[in-house]
Amino acid sequence: MSDSTNSNNDSPAGMTGGLGSGPKIQNMSEVLAIIAVAVVIIGGAEFLLRFFEVKEFVMPTPSAIVTALFVHFDEIVPHLGYTLVELSVGYTIGASIGMLLAAVITQFPFVEKIITPYILLLVTTPMLALVPLLILNFGFGYAPRIIAVALAAGPMVMINSATGFRRVDHGKIALAKSYGASTFQIFTKIRVPMAMPMIIVGLMMGAIFSVITAIGAEMSGGGFGLGSKLTSFSSTLRTAEFFAVILILAIMGIGIYVFFSWLAKKLAGWES
């Protein structure tokens, strides 16, 4: 394989292309193999926990976790709603600001020099460390959690989007300018489409960090949200219910990956 091909595969663009173009399931035998592995892992865990008579408050069986999810779903689902509100509002605010800042700093280098140190500060500072301070100033409601989620998502979206906006074909830009294209037209018609793979990666990373931050913020206090239920269930040794919430969070994480993989295929399939 040539050096240029290796370089392309190792670049952010190559990684982004892989987001929506990984190995596909080709036939029913592969589906059955995936199911068989899941059955072996889950069934094996069920058997071993029962065989060694592990107490449920130490480690519940998979069947106990699923049962707890259905039996106590009415208790859990309102808190799922609270978490989704925090995520949707905080993520939308953070991603929007991050995208806007990425567009500004790539068009105005002087602005980038001013705000880059502060962006790096946000990226390197765990947002969960700020949650107690936010709670102190804004109370135990939605506000501190939404702010924390926005601060976690924004820098991730901004950094990846800015990287994408800089990955341009200067020949295309020169050609567009020769036909009289404005800066705005060049940005929307050339820079944005070419940056789409990195934008999607930034959006996905921002979403993942948002979930982590939201759950951590909820565990810090407030009495509502999935993170709060994790704290409540663990402190009362309701381990099956605790893992039921973990299962919901895992499904949310898988959903985020699947959605952005689909989005990458639709909007940036050319990259692969």
Side-chain angles (χ1 to χ4, degrees):
M1 186 176 294
S2 65
D3 293 340
S4 61
T5 304
N6 284 329
S7 176
N8 182 62
N9 288 339
D10 293 337
S11 68
M15 291 185 289
T16 309
L19 183 65
S21 59
K24 302 296 189 298
I25 296 175
Q26 301 293 333
N27 49 54
M28 184 56 65
S29 62
E30 294 182 355
V31 174
L32 294 176
I34 294 173
I35 296 174
V37 172
V39 169
V40 169
I41 294 175
I42 297 173
E46 182 85 20
F47 171 77
L48 290 173
L49 290 171
R50 290 181 180 273
F51 180 80
F52 290 105
E53 298 181 346
V54 178
K55 299 297 182 183
E56 184 172 302
F57 67 84
V58 175
M59 177 58 70
T61 62
S63 61
I65 295 172
V66 175
T67 301
L69 177 61
F70 283 98
V71 172
H72 299 281
F73 189 72
D74 290 343
E75 180 183 356
I76 296 173
V77 69
H79 295 273
L80 172 61
Y82 298 140
T83 299
L84 291 177
V85 169
E86 298 161 9
L87 285 173
S88 58
V89 177
Y91 177 73
T92 300
I93 294 173
S96 300
I97 294 176
M99 194 81 69
L100 178 62
L101 287 176
V104 170
I105 66 174
T106 52
Q107 297 301 306
F108 304 98
F110 177 73
V111 177
E112 180 179 11
K113 294 178 182 179
I114 296 175
I115 70 172
T116 293
Y118 303 101
I119 297 299
L120 291 176
L121 183 65
L122 287 176
V123 172
T124 56
T125 302
M127 288 302 105
L128 291 179
L130 300 179
V131 170
L133 179 62
L134 292 173
I135 291 175
L136 180 64
N137 285 274
F138 297 99
F140 287 95
Y142 280 117
R145 304 176 184 192
I146 290 174
I147 294 173
V149 169
L151 289 174
M156 295 297 163
V157 175
M158 195 217 75
I159 289 174
N160 283 276
S161 298
T163 301
F165 289 144
R166 291 191 180 96
R167 292 176 56 244
V168 296
D169 187 332
H170 294 286
K172 290 182 179 180
I173 292 179
L175 181 61
K177 287 181 177 179
S178 69
Y179 280 97
S182 65
T183 301
F184 180 77
Q185 289 174 323
I186 291 174
F187 183 81
T188 56
K189 301 297 184 181
I190 298 179
R191 289 186 183 273
V192 172
M194 294 190 68
M196 192 56 64
M198 289 303 299
I199 290 174
I200 294 174
V201 169
L203 291 172
M204 183 178 71
M205 291 179 63
I208 293 172
F209 273 82
S210 294
V211 173
I212 296 172
T213 303
I215 298 302
E218 291 170 349
M219 294 177 72
S220 298
F224 61 93
L226 293 180
S228 175
K229 295 308 293 182
L230 286 175
T231 301
S232 174
F233 289 147
S234 64
S235 63
T236 55
L237 297 181
R238 297 174 63 182
T239 314
E241 291 84 350
F242 176 89
F243 278 100
V245 176
I246 294 295
L247 179 60
I248 292 175
L249 294 174
I251 294 172
M252 288 175 58
I254 293 172
I256 289 172
Y257 176 80
V258 170
F259 171 74
F260 283 107
S261 295
W262 171 83
L263 193 64
K265 183 177 180 181
K266 293 297 181 182
L267 300 182
W270 56 267
E271 183 74 3
S272 58

